[in-house]
């Protein structure tokens, strides 16, 4: 069930879109935000009903855009680019390294809940490849060592906050 | 973008000049003129998607190769599909796709992989590229197995599911090289909302989607072009047969289905191979009493003994003869069946009329559209549809009343959905919210039983707001003043409370229907199965007449006919008051005509209808009954009473393929042939006469129905001598002028011919009433209807309304579909659908049992929560002998159509209970 606040926000959004299906993307964002940053099949079914689209349409949308999550993300969410320019200068190795360090796979959250990682397409930072985004911040010309240091810092931060 | 060409274009393909018809792509023009260009994502009849690029060609003067499937040629264009560059690219596509196949080789799932075919033709053998990791098989669905390791992402299945059948289950998820086919929210197919129409299986070029029984690699020894045995849509299909067994079924291009099928037509065929098939005549053992209890099939041998055909026919006929000669003809009756062919129906009514000597012959049309037919005959002089349902393409407004089309006429519903997607207004009028509602502009969930109030309110608006078609009224109708007078009392504002729909909505709908360029009305059993069913239908007819929405393409009246041959069985005179072609038995000219044709005298008095016959049996006035195919012990209302009657019969002969619930009451059972085991003509809801062709030999010593009826006729003293089905058809042409122009040869060639077709060579008229009506005055007659209520209203003791109907997977009494593996696996248990809030009040969890009781009977079934069922109502299909819905229903009849009120009676509900044991 959608939280009451979320329902209100949805109603507001819908009032601005004459055709319900056009509000699908913003509604998904609102629903995700209202549910600790991720979407569940039940929520998606509800959204499909609200926007009068099929479930499979919703699946096509949420799986196309990397911003929609089906798993509760970590406190720090890493987006590692493996598109061609990044790939040429070590993007794939970087991703592999992170996966090893966190003992998880791209698209998932590590067991401690601090980090989650995801493989993404071009982040628009090709001139400074390979690029990684952590939460909202860009980190450029990364390599495994730099990233390890960064993550160590963040982990301490994250645990301190926890 | 090229401008869309509107006329024939001449262009050069591989050095040869060819012509493209308006709208044709290069690929289509090439195919039509006998050239081959590789293609994978293109499928004839589907929107070209242009995603695979196997079809690329080189066009002179253009820098890049062009996909020929989605490129229209221009006058004088020079196209090369065989140039080195084009071929190189075509081969590369095939090689890349092949590298991703299991074992990088041929599809392990089907003999007919189009990828393999093109690889072979293009000489692509061992791909040079490494394959990727592949998904695992999904076998969660009883009908369809999914092996996406053979998927080439052509998206034909996506278009099949979303654009052709419009079920919206299959999607295309993720992106880049992670792209994949998904069902709903990436669910296993078996838990998705898939309705198993199998369009995707038929569309898939590589076997990534296949029938679940793993028959893809089996080679059939023959294919037979035939039609579907289930509903009135009349889909054409092809049987693939091996060793006298059906391997698989595919949709075939037909006027009513355009190669589409539904789950029943595609996966519901294996009932014919079920071990319960009767393979030898059976005679009731001496002294075994008849009781109201249903016979448990495991006790069958204790009640019946096998007999030779000679003995069985002798016993069957002599029993009937004795009753006829000792008690008079009126002590006999016959029930035919709308599942049989036109020829079988014709012979059976002739047997009763000339052999029994009365008109006591009826069939299941009495239980479905009898009221509609009465109203149509009275108002516009003909009981058949005015336009085919495919006319929705030409309609602006499509009104669907009391019909859950996606369940009962699934393929017709796909055309409705196509039309709605193309922007037409779909208006639903049904107490239940049905799946079509998602596509509808209006969905009027009105209070059950208030049909006349609602329709009169629509008509009131049309009159009041001056939206009648005055010209049409003056030219083609009569009796409008009386209708107008009657409508005065039915303002939308007054009726809003009665039918539960706001007045403004009623007005909007009325305006939309009346003012559209073309509006068509479809209706189903929700209209007809009431004691005011005839009045309901009269209103719909009046609605069309007053607005002139009839007689043109995209307009008209279409009562969706249920059974595959209910139209034909009625046309053939399997009705007590009319001879073939709806000629009243009391009409001296008609009587004279048939006396001459059949060489005998005929009874001028109309016979009795289904429920009346049961009543007369109960009163012991009718003592002998002959049934072909019907199953009244399940299909008739108030079953306890019906079964009591059946047990009272002195002599009861039944001809069927299974030991049905009714067969247990018989004295003689004659085993007959299933649909694919015989040839005959069947008339669908669109008035299309179509051929069902024999694909299999009947099992054991079962025989074809026409032969059995003829043998019975001979033993009742008639000198019949038909040599086969075509002989019977020849006689039908004489008896039915509207079919006189249809020859057997033409049917063999064209598979489907629309009647009226009075002279050989006539094309057949899909749209009728273009210039008046076949009534004595040539005008359509208005018959005013007053709002009246159901026979049995809910009260404190019986507070809920019980509505019966069907489910997608089960046909009628379930005798076929519950013996079809896939269909039974999808819906194995008796289900009663209830609004979740009612379930909550009753304290019943979905999936647990619920007991339903009326004044006549009681049953226990499994509760299913269904938001579409309005509060205070429960809905159930009548396919389950362990919880037979008709134990509950009332046998009160519509006074004109004599149809029982299957759609409304009062019940009480209680949590828990045990369903009776299932008997198939
Ligand atoms: S499953 Fe078949 S039809 Fe669907 S995309 Fe794959 S290959 Fe094409
Ligand atoms: S829609 Fe009717 S005729 Fe067509 S396949 Fe289904 S049951 Fe058969
Ligand atoms: S390719 Fe990585 S940022 Fe553009
Ligand atoms: S067939 Fe033309 S692109 Fe696939």
């Amino acid at each position: 069930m959608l939280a009451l606040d979320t329902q209100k926000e949805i109603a507001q959004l819908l009032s601005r879109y004459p055709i319900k299906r056009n509000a699908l993307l913003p509604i998904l964002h609102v629903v995700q935000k209202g549910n600790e940053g991720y979407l569940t099949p039940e929520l998606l079914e509800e959204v499909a009903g609200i926007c009068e689209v099929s479930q499979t349409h919703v699946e096509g949308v949420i799986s196309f855009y990397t911003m929609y999550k089906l798993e509760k993300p970590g406190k720090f969410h890493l987006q590692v680019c493996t598109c061609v320019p990044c790939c040429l200068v070590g993007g794939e190795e970087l991703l592999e390294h992170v996966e090893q360090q966190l003992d998880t796979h791209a698209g998932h959250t590590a067991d401690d809940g601090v980090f989650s990682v995801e493989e993404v397409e071009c982040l628009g930072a090709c001139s400074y490849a390979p690029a990684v985004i952590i939460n909202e911040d860009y980190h450029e010309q990364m390599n495994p060592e730099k990233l390890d240091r960064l993550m160590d810092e963040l982990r301490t931060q994250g645990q301190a906050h926890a | 973008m090229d401008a869309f060409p509107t006329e024939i274009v001449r262009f050069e393909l591989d050095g040869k000049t060819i012509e493209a018809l308006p709208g044709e792509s290069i690929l289509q023009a090439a195919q039509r003129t006998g050239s081959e260009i590789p293609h994978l994502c293109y499928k004839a009849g589907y929107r070209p998607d242009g995603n695979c690029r196997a079809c690329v060609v080189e066009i002179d003067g253009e820098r890049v190769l062009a996909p020929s499937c989605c490129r229209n040629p221009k006058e004088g264009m020079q196209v090369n599909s065989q140039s080195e560059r084009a071929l190189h690219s075509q081969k590369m596509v095939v090689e890349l796709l092949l590298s991703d196949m299991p074992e990088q080789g041929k599809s392990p799932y089907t003999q007919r992989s189009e990828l393999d075919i093109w690889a072979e033709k293009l000489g692509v053998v061992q791909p040079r590229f490494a394959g990727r990791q592949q998904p695992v098989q999904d076998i969660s669905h009883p009908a369809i197995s999914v092996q996406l390791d053979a998927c080439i992402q052509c998206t034909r299945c996506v278009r099949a599911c979303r654009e052709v059948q419009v079920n919206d289950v299959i999607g295309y998820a993720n992106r880049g090289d992670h792209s994949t086919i998904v069902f709903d929210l990436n669910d296993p197919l078996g838990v998705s909302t898939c309705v198993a129409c199998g369009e995707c299986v038929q569309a898939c070029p590589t076997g990534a989607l296949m029938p679940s029984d793993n028959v893809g690699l089996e080679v059939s020894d023959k294919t037979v072009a035939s039609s579907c045995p289930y509903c009135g849509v009349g889909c054409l299909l092809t049987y693939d047969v091996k060793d006298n067994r059906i391997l698989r079924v595919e949709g075939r291009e037909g006027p009513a289905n355009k190669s589409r099928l539904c789950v029943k037509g595609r996966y519901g065929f294996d009932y014919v191979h079920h071990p319960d098939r009767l393979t030898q005549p059976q005679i009731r053992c001496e002294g075994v009493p008849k009781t109201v209890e249903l016979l448990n099939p495991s006790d069958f041998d204790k009640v019946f003994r096998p007999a030779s055909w000679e003995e069985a026919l002798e016993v069957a006929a002599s029993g009937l003869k004795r009753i006829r000669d000792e008690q008079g003809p009126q002590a006999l009756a016959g029930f035919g069946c709308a599942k049989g062919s036109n020829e079988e129906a014709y012979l059976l009514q002739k047997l009763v009329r000339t052999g029994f000597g009365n008109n006591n012959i009826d069939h299941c049309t009495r239980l479905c559209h009898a009221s509609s037919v009465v109203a149509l005959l009275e108002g516009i002089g003909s009981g058949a549809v005015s336009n085919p349902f495919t006319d929705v393409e030409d309609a602006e407004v499509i009104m669907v009343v009391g019909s859950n089309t996606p369940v009962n006429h699934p393929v017709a519903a796909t055309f409705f959905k196509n039309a709605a997607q193309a922007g037409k207004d779909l208006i639903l009028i049904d107490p239940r919210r049905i799946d079509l509602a998602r596509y509808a502009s209006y969905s009027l969930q009105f209070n059950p039983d208030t049909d006349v109030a609602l329709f009169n309110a629509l008509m009131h608006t049309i009159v009041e707001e001056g939206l009648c078609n005055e010209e049409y009224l003056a030219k083609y109708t009569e009796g409008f003043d009386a209708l107008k007078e009657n409508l005065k009392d039915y303002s939308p504002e007054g009726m809003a409370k009665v039918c539960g729909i706001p007045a403004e909505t009623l007005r909007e709908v009325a305006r939309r229907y009346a003012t559209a360029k073309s509006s068509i009305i479809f209706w189903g059993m929700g209209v007809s199965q009431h004691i005011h069913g005839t009045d309901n239908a009269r209103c719909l007819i009046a609605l069309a007449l007053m607005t002139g929405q009839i007689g043109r393409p995209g307009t008209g009246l279409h009562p969706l006919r249920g059974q595959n041959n209910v139209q034909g069985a009625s046309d053939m005179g399997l009705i007590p008051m009319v001879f073939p072609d709806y000629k009243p038995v009391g009409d001296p000219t008609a009587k004279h005509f048939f006396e001459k044709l059949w060489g005998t005298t005929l009874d001028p008095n109309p016979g009795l209808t289904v429920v009346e016959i049961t009543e007369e049996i109960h009163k012991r006035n009718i003592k002998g009954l002959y049934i072909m195919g019907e199953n009244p012990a399940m299909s008739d209302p108030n079953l306890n009473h019906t079964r009591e009657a059946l047990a009272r019969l002195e002599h009861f002969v039944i001809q069927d393929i299974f030991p049905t619930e009714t067969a247990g009451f018989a004295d003689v059972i004659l085993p007959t042939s299933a649909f694919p085991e015989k040839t005959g003509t069947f008339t669908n809801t669109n008035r299309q006469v179509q051929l069902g062709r024999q694909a299999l030999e009947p099992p054991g010593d079962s025989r074809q129905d026409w032969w059995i009826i003829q043998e019975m006729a001979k033993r009742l003293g008639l000198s019949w001598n038909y040599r086969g089905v075509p002989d019977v058809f020849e006689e039908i042409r004489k008896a039915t002028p509207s079919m006189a122009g249809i020859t057997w040869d033409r049917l063999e060639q064209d598979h489907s011919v629309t009647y009226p077709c009075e002279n050989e060579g006539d094309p057949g008229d899909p749209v009728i009433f273009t210039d008046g009506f076949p009534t004595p005055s040539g005008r359509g007659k208005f018959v005013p209807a007053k709002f009246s209520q159901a026979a049995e209203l809910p009260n404190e003791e019986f507070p809920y309304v019980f509505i019966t109907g069907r489910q997608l997977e089960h046909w009628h009494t379930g005798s076929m579909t519950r013996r079809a593996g896939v269909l039974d696996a999808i819906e194995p248990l008796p289900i009663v659908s209830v609004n979740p809030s009612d379930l909550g009040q009753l304290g019943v969890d979905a999936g647990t049992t619920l007991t339903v009781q009326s004044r006549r009977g009681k049953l226990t079934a499994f509760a299913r929560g269904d938001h579409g069922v309005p509060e205070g109502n429960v809905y159930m299909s009548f396919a389950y002998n362990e919880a037979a819905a008709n134990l509950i229903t009332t046998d009160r009849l519509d006074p004109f159509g004599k149809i029982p009120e299957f759609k409304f009676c009062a019940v009480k509900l209680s949590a828990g209970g045990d369903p009776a044991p299932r008997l198939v």
Side-chain angles (χ1 to χ4, degrees):
Chain A
M1 265 300 275
L2 293 168
L4 224 56
D5 285 356
T6 312
Q7 287 185 18
K8 272 196 210 134
E9 272 186 84
I10 291 176
Q12 236 166 33
L13 278 170
L14 281 174
S15 71
R16 277 185 265 139
Y17 289 82
I19 298 170
K20 288 182 181 160
R21 66 185 290 147
N22 294 354
L24 179 60
L25 292 181
I27 287 183
L28 283 168
H29 273 299
V30 165
V31 171
Q32 174 161 291
K33 200 177 72 203
N35 188 56
E36 304 190 305
Y38 71 111
L39 297 159
T40 63
E42 294 71 34
L43 290 171
L44 293 174
E45 225 182 296
E46 249 181 280
V47 172
I50 292 170
C51 295
E52 293 177 356
V53 295
S54 61
Q55 296 183 36
T56 195
H57 181 87
V58 175
E59 176 68 23
V61 167
I62 58 143
S63 65
F64 185 85
Y65 295 109
T66 48
M67 300 84 89
Y68 299 117
K69 311 268 175 283
L70 290 173
E71 205 174 290
K72 189 170 167 182
K75 198 156 276 151
F76 301 103
H77 183 63
L78 280 69
Q79 303 181 42
V80 184
C81 172
T82 58
C83 229
V84 176
C86 285
C87 167
L88 287 175
V89 289
E92 285 189 338
E93 290 76 13
L94 201 60
L95 177 67
E96 238 172 76
H97 177 77
V98 179
E99 289 179 328
Q100 260 172 25
Q101 291 297 305
L102 295 177
D103 193 21
T104 186
H105 286 288
H108 295 284
T109 305
D111 287 343
D112 60 4
V114 179
F115 290 107
S116 48
V117 58
E118 164 174 45
E119 179 179 14
V120 295
E121 304 293 322
C122 181
L123 295 169
C126 323
S127 345
Y128 310 98
V132 176
I133 293 184
I134 303 181
N135 289 353
E136 319 264 88
D137 301 328
Y138 274 79
H139 300 271
E140 289 148 356
Q141 287 174 333
M142 292 305 280
N143 58 40
E145 295 72 42
K146 269 167 90 173
L147 191 58
D148 279 348
R149 276 201 299 279
L150 190 57
M151 285 171 64
D152 281 343
E153 273 171 39
L154 292 173
R155 182 173 287 113
T156 339
Q157 249 185 54
Q159 280 160 353
H161 280 256
Chain B
M1 276 299 288
D2 299 322
F4 196 70
T6 50
E7 50 193 56
I8 289 176
V9 175
R10 291 161 63 86
F11 70 105
E12 214 173 85
L13 176 68
D14 300 325
K16 202 173 77 187
T17 302
I18 63 171
E19 289 183 341
L21 303 178
E24 261 184 351
S25 63
I26 296 174
L27 177 64
Q28 286 167 327
Q31 282 183 322
R32 191 177 39 76
T33 53
S35 304
E36 271 195 334
I37 301 176
H39 55 276
L40 290 163
C41 70
Y42 168 78
K43 180 170 158 44
Y46 284 25
R47 175 181 59 78
D49 195 48
N51 67 53
C52 78
R53 304 281 149 163
C55 67
V56 288
V57 292
E58 202 169 354
I59 299 177
D60 263 19
E62 294 193 5
R63 190 175 56 85
V64 292
L65 299 174
S68 61
C69 68
C70 43
R71 181 67 185 272
N72 295 117
K74 275 201 195 124
E75 190 69 31
M77 203 183 235
Q78 310 229 344
V79 180
N80 207 326
S81 74
Q82 310 276 339
S83 70
E84 205 190 316
R85 205 173 144 217
L87 272 178
H88 183 264
S89 198
Q90 294 165 5
K91 284 187 190 171
M92 181 61 96
V93 166
V94 169
E95 183 177 353
L96 279 164
L97 291 173
L98 214 54
S99 72
D100 239 8
M101 282 288 121
E103 318 272 323
Q104 300 207 314
K106 278 195 178 354
S107 168
Y109 309 115
T110 175
Q111 286 271 337
R112 304 188 273 190
S113 164
E114 291 172 33
L115 180 61
D116 294 341
I117 294 170
W118 288 117
E120 200 177 308
K121 286 190 178 161
L122 291 168
V124 180
V125 197
Q126 184 59 48
R128 289 163 293 171
F129 315 106
R132 298 175 302 171
Q133 204 195 338
Q134 295 293 351
V136 294
Q137 204 179 27
D138 169 3
I139 50 164
S140 57
H141 196 282
I144 299 169
S145 70
V146 185
Q147 33 282 324
L148 293 182
D149 53 353
C151 173
I152 58 169
Q153 312 217 341
C154 64
T155 71
R156 274 156 61 159
C157 56
V158 179
R159 281 169 280 158
C161 189
R162 294 164 83 156
E163 296 172 21
V164 178
Q165 295 251 359
V166 201
N167 291 320
D168 294 339
V169 179
I170 305 188
Y172 198 43
N174 301 319
R175 57 159 123 170
D177 77 329
H178 298 292
S179 303
T180 181
I181 293 302
V182 291
F183 309 107
D184 286 348
L185 296 170
N186 199 8
D187 292 324
L189 185 58
V191 302
S192 74
T193 54
C194 170
V195 293
C197 68
E199 183 80 23
C200 56
V201 175
Q202 187 160 314
C204 181
T206 61
L209 300 170
M210 284 301 283
S212 63
D213 43 8
N214 215 0
V215 293
L217 297 178
E218 297 217 36
V219 187
S220 53
D221 40 48
K222 65 172 172 183
T223 60
V224 180
S226 190
S227 49
C228 171
Y230 288 106
C231 87
V233 169
C235 297
L236 297 190
L237 50 72
T238 306
Y239 289 119
D240 265 358
V241 179
K242 184 183 185 183
D243 302 332
N244 207 36
R245 290 184 78 82
I246 298 172
L247 278 182
R248 57 188 160 241
V249 171
E250 282 210 356
R252 183 162 66 92
E253 185 64 25
N257 71 314
K258 307 231 163 80
S259 300
R260 305 171 190 183
L261 292 177
C262 77
V263 64
K264 291 188 286 283
R266 197 185 299 277
Y267 300 110
F269 56 81
D270 60 334
Y271 72 93
V272 299
H273 303 305
H274 194 276
D276 281 356
R277 277 296 296 274
L278 295 164
T279 56
Q280 223 189 338
Q282 304 283 339
I283 296 179
R284 194 176 197 88
C285 300
E286 205 67 50
V288 180
K290 296 181 187 175
T291 70
V292 294
E293 296 304 318
L294 293 183
L295 175 61
N296 193 328
S298 58
D299 294 334
F300 189 80
D301 293 342
K302 292 184 201 140
V303 178
F304 292 99
R305 65 173 172 86
S308 69
W309 272 101
E310 205 35 57
E311 186 192 4
L313 287 166
E314 198 46 50
V315 175
S318 62
L320 294 172
K321 215 157 90 182
R322 199 188 57 243
I323 295 173
R324 179 191 67 188
D325 297 345
E326 287 172 10
Q327 328 239 358
Q330 299 309 330
L332 292 180
F335 288 167
C337 170
K339 278 232 150 325
S341 66
N342 284 326
E343 295 73 24
E344 290 159 4
Y346 179 82
L347 289 183
L348 188 71
Q349 60 87 32
K350 186 173 168 184
L351 177 79
V352 169
R353 295 200 154 106
T354 64
F356 292 7
N358 65 25
N359 289 308
N360 290 339
I361 175 73
D362 206 2
H363 74 291
C364 41
T365 192
R366 192 63 46 208
L367 309 176
C368 65
H369 264 310
S371 47
S372 313
V373 171
V374 167
L376 287 165
L377 285 171
E378 161 195 79
I380 59 177
S382 160
V385 302
S386 68
N387 298 52
F389 62 72
T390 36
D391 255 30
V392 291
E393 214 176 292
D394 300 313
E396 248 180 37
V397 168
I398 303 157
M399 192 181 262
V400 180
V401 191
S403 157
N404 190 356
T405 328
V407 161
N408 296 305
H409 302 83
V411 168
T414 66
F415 291 97
F416 297 0
K417 290 186 272 187
N418 295 155
Q421 281 192 327
K424 323 261 158 134
D425 274 333
L426 184 61
I427 299 174
L428 300 181
I429 302 183
D430 200 306
R432 290 197 300 152
R433 184 184 160 87
I434 59 173
D435 280 350
L436 268 185
R438 232 173 74 201
Y439 309 93
S441 313
Y442 293 92
S443 178
L444 310 191
Q445 265 192 279
F446 70 109
N447 296 333
D449 195 39
T450 63
D451 319 56
V452 171
L454 188 152
F455 301 145
N456 277 350
L458 296 180
M459 289 194 276
H460 178 102
T461 308
I462 291 171
V463 172
E464 190 190 72
E465 302 190 2
L467 304 175
C468 292
N469 184 334
E470 298 295 341
E471 208 181 309
Y472 191 89
L473 280 177
K475 194 162 175 206
Y476 290 123
T477 69
E478 60 194 12
F480 186 56
D481 289 341
L483 183 88
K484 221 158 115 181
E485 188 54 38
N486 182 53
L487 291 177
K488 281 197 178 134
D489 305 335
Y490 294 92
S491 71
E493 290 67 27
M495 291 303 109
K497 272 190 303 301
V498 178
C499 56
I501 304 291
E504 195 41 42
T505 311
L506 292 170
R507 286 190 180 271
E508 275 172 34
V509 166
R511 287 177 203 136
R512 191 71 197 101
Y513 174 82
T515 57
K517 273 206 214 75
S518 46
S519 298
I520 185 166
I521 304 180
F522 295 93
W523 74 92
M525 252 89 293
V527 167
S528 60
Q529 289 176 335
H530 286 282
I531 57 164
H532 46 79
T534 306
D535 278 342
N536 293 349
R538 284 171 175 153
C539 291
L540 295 175
I541 296 165
L543 202 50
L545 287 178
M546 70 200 291
T547 51
Q549 296 286 20
I550 188 163
R552 289 170 285 126
T555 67
L557 295 163
H558 190 125
L560 286 153
R561 313 312 297 262
Q563 299 263 17
N564 60 333
N565 197 38
V566 68
Q567 182 63 56
S570 306
D571 297 342
M572 294 303 106
L574 215 50
I575 302 184
M577 32 291 203
V578 295
F579 293 127
D581 211 29
Y582 305 94
K583 298 283 183 314
V585 294
D587 172 14
T589 329
K591 181 166 165 280
H592 180 72
F593 174 86
F594 283 101
E595 288 185 334
K596 223 172 113 203
L597 182 68
W598 293 336
T600 179
T601 54
L602 294 169
D603 180 356
N605 300 308
L608 299 173
T609 60
V610 166
V611 183
E612 291 171 328
I613 289 173
T614 310
E615 203 45 53
E616 289 308 302
I617 298 172
H618 207 265
K619 292 190 192 139
R620 301 190 200 273
N621 292 330
I622 290 180
K623 305 202 162 140
L625 182 65
Y626 190 90
I627 291 190
M628 173 176 80
E630 292 243 323
N631 192 6
M634 285 292 289
S635 66
D636 287 17
N638 192 4
L639 281 182
N640 283 323
H641 187 74
T642 304
R643 290 173 187 173
E644 243 168 57
L646 290 172
R648 287 185 185 181
L649 281 164
E650 246 171 54
H651 188 65
F652 175 20
V653 182
I654 187 166
Q655 142 186 357
D656 208 312
I657 60 173
F658 288 120
T660 60
E661 292 77 5
T662 304
F665 295 91
D667 294 281
V668 183
I669 307 177
L670 305 173
T672 166
S673 44
F675 183 91
E677 296 158 4
K678 60 191 178 191
T679 293
T681 64
F682 298 82
T683 308
N684 71 357
T685 188
N686 287 344
R687 290 183 269 107
Q688 286 146 347
V689 182
Q690 317 196 108
L691 263 192
R693 290 191 179 81
Q694 183 170 1
L696 306 170
E697 290 305 319
D701 205 9
S702 59
R703 300 284 169 90
Q704 298 200 340
D705 302 69
W706 74 271
W707 180 89
I708 300 174
I709 304 170
Q710 171 153 293
E711 289 304 307
M712 287 297 293
K714 287 180 183 163
R715 285 169 179 76
L716 287 171
L718 302 171
S719 53
W720 288 12
N721 195 16
Y722 302 101
R723 285 156 308 168
V725 174
D727 274 5
V728 185
F729 187 76
E730 273 314 299
E731 191 173 314
I732 291 175
R733 294 178 60 199
K734 291 194 193 110
T736 314
S738 54
M739 284 169 63
I742 306 177
T743 64
W744 191 263
D745 282 348
R746 178 155 169 211
L747 283 171
E748 291 259 3
Q749 211 174 14
D750 297 356
H751 310 285
S752 174
V753 182
T754 302
Y755 83 75
C757 173
E758 286 169 11
N759 303 299
E760 282 183 34
D762 280 0
D765 295 331
V767 179
I768 53 178
F769 315 136
T770 49
D771 188 18
F773 299 94
T775 51
S777 62
R779 289 165 180 267
K781 190 166 99 192
F782 287 104
V783 184
K786 296 234 176 289
F787 172 53
S788 62
Q789 288 188 312
E792 187 181 84
L793 297 175
N795 62 9
E796 235 166 68
E797 193 189 352
F798 297 98
Y800 286 87
V801 175
F802 187 72
I803 308 176
T804 69
R806 274 152 254 214
Q807 281 168 291
L808 173 62
E809 291 80 7
H810 287 304
W811 187 259
H812 271 227
T813 65
S815 57
M816 293 157 72
T817 49
R818 295 197 87 194
R819 292 182 174 94
V822 165
L823 302 178
D824 186 46
I826 300 177
E827 283 290 6
L829 298 171
I831 295 299
V832 52
S833 300
V834 189
N835 188 289
S837 95
D838 284 340
L839 281 185
Q841 292 230 326
L842 291 158
V844 174
D845 289 332
T848 63
T849 59
L850 178 68
T851 297
V852 183
Q853 188 172 1
S854 75
R855 293 181 175 85
R856 293 156 296 277
K858 186 170 159 177
L859 63 81
T860 300
F862 295 89
R864 180 174 286 174
D866 184 343
H867 287 282
V869 176
E871 285 173 34
N873 293 265
V874 292
Y875 178 85
M876 202 179 168
S877 103
F878 57 102
Y880 303 96
N881 58 26
E882 63 273 45
N886 280 320
L887 289 166
I888 305 292
T889 51
T890 160
D891 47 9
R892 289 287 300 279
L893 304 181
D894 170 274
F896 310 99
K898 311 278 168 144
I899 188 171
E901 189 154 56
F902 286 118
K903 292 290 183 200
F904 202 103
C905 72
V907 295
K908 59 179 163 195
L909 304 178
S910 54
D914 293 313
R918 171 176 175 171
L919 295 181
V920 275

